[in-house]
Amino acid sequence: GQSLEQPSEVTAVEGAIVQINCTYQTSGFYGLSWYQQHDGGAPTFLSYNALDGLEETGRFSSFLSRSDSYGYLLLQELQMKDSASYFCAVSGGGHQKVTFGTGTKLQVIP
Amino acid sequence: EPEVTQTPSHQVTQMGQEVILRCVPISNHLYFYWYRQILGQKVEFLVSFYNNEISEKSEIFDDQFSVERPDGSNFTLKIRSTKLEDSAMYFCASSVDRASTDTQYFGPGTRLTVL
C-alpha cells in the first residue's frame, strides 16, 4: 500500500520562505504531486515531479528524491493568502490511483 | 477557463437512503475520479473511471458504491444505502491523461450529511 508523512502544522511569517516535507512509502511510484486546499474548498494542483530534482513554478517550487522517497514543497515570498492546507500525493500502485498525504496546515502570520 | 462542476453542493439524507452525486468533468478529459474527505482529514481516493469502466478502486469503494457515466457529460457516484460514516465531502476530479502523468482538476465538492 501507500503511506505519506507530512508535518501537521507549520507557521511562517509573511514574506518569508517555508518548506513542507513529505516522505512516502509506496508499492509503485510514478510521481509526487502537491495540492493546495483552502478551508471549505477543493484541492488545487500546484506541481508534479516524476523525476529527481527541482521544479519551479513562480513562487512555488517542488523537489523530489526518488532514492530517498522524499520530496518537499517550497513556498517563497509568503503571502497571507497562502494560508491553507498543503497535501502531497503519490501516483503509484496503479496508473489511475492517487494517494494523498495527511496534509500540512500552513498559517502565515504578519 | 473550463472547470469541473458538481451538484448538489450540499445533500442531506437519512441513513439507509440512496444518494446520487453528480459531476460534469471538463469536456475533453478522459479520466474521471471520485474522492472523499471526512471533515478535518485527508483526501481519500475512491475510484477512477476510464473508457466507460472502473479502472481502479480503493477498499472504501465497496458494494454500496457505484459509478456511472450515463451520457457524454455526466459522471455520477451512487451510494445505495447511506451510513452515518458516509458523511463527508465528495470531490469529483478529471484529467486528460492518466493520473500517474497528468494533473487532476477537482470540482468544488458535494457535502453529504447522513442523519
Side-chain angles (χ1 to χ4, degrees):
Chain A
Q2 271 79 253
S3 69
L4 297 94
E5 295 289 330
Q6 302 178 237
S8 58
E9 292 181 358
V10 173
T11 301
V13 177
E14 190 177 15
I17 299 172
V18 72
Q19 178 174 314
I20 299 173
N21 298 321
C22 174
T23 57
Y24 59 86
Q25 286 185 308
T26 66
S27 56
F29 179 84
Y30 299 105
L32 183 72
S33 302
W34 289 92
Y35 287 82
Q36 179 191 61
Q37 187 180 33
H38 286 98
D39 283 347
T44 304
F45 173 82
L46 293 176
S47 69
Y48 175 74
N49 294 68
L51 303 175
D52 286 358
L54 193 68
E55 293 281 341
E56 297 182 68
T57 309
R59 294 188 297 114
F60 295 170
S61 303
S62 58
F63 172 83
L64 174 66
S65 169
R66 294 174 67 126
S67 60
D68 295 323
S69 298
Y70 164 76
Y72 65 73
L73 179 69
L74 193 73
L75 295 84
Q76 302 181 75
E77 300 172 19
L78 281 172
Q79 302 174 9
M80 298 301 291
K81 67 178 183 180
D82 296 330
S83 293
S85 291
Y86 292 83
F87 293 88
C88 58
V90 293
S91 50
H95 284 286
Q96 310 301 347
K97 184 176 180 180
V98 176
T99 302
F100 280 74
T102 50
T104 298
K105 192 171 180 68
L106 171 65
Q107 184 181 12
V108 180
I109 58 176
Chain B
E1 185 174 330
E3 56 185 21
V4 177
T5 59
Q6 291 185 243
T7 54
S9 57
H10 192 183
Q11 174 91 46
V12 181
T13 189
Q14 295 288 327
M15 190 170 58
Q17 295 296 303
E18 175 183 285
V19 295
I20 297 176
L21 310 183
R22 291 183 167 79
C23 168
V24 178
I26 295 173
S27 61
N28 64 329
H29 286 189
L30 302 177
Y31 295 79
F32 314 116
Y33 313 85
W34 282 101
Y35 294 86
R36 80 172 185 191
Q37 186 176 32
I38 296 169
L39 187 63
Q41 298 186 23
K42 66 178 181 179
V43 177
E44 297 175 291
F45 171 83
L46 292 178
V47 66
S48 59
F49 192 87
Y50 170 71
N51 200 25
N52 283 319
E53 61 182 24
I54 290 173
S55 43
E56 294 202 49
K57 59 183 181 180
S58 72
E59 312 76 47
I60 303 168
F61 194 88
D62 60 22
D63 293 345
Q64 292 299 311
F65 291 88
S66 62
V67 289
E68 194 177 32
R69 189 155 161 83
D71 53 42
S73 60
N74 290 283
F75 179 51
T76 62
L77 174 70
K78 182 193 291 186
I79 308 175
R80 288 192 186 82
S81 178
T82 50
K83 302 187 285 285
L84 295 177
E85 54 265 37
D86 293 328
S87 293
M89 194 75 149
Y90 288 81
F91 292 105
C92 171
S94 69
S95 59
V96 175
D97 203 344
R98 55 192 184 187
S100 56
T101 60
D102 196 18
T103 304
Q104 293 187 35
Y105 294 85
F106 282 73
T110 293
R111 180 168 297 285
L112 177 65
T113 301
V114 182
L115 303 176

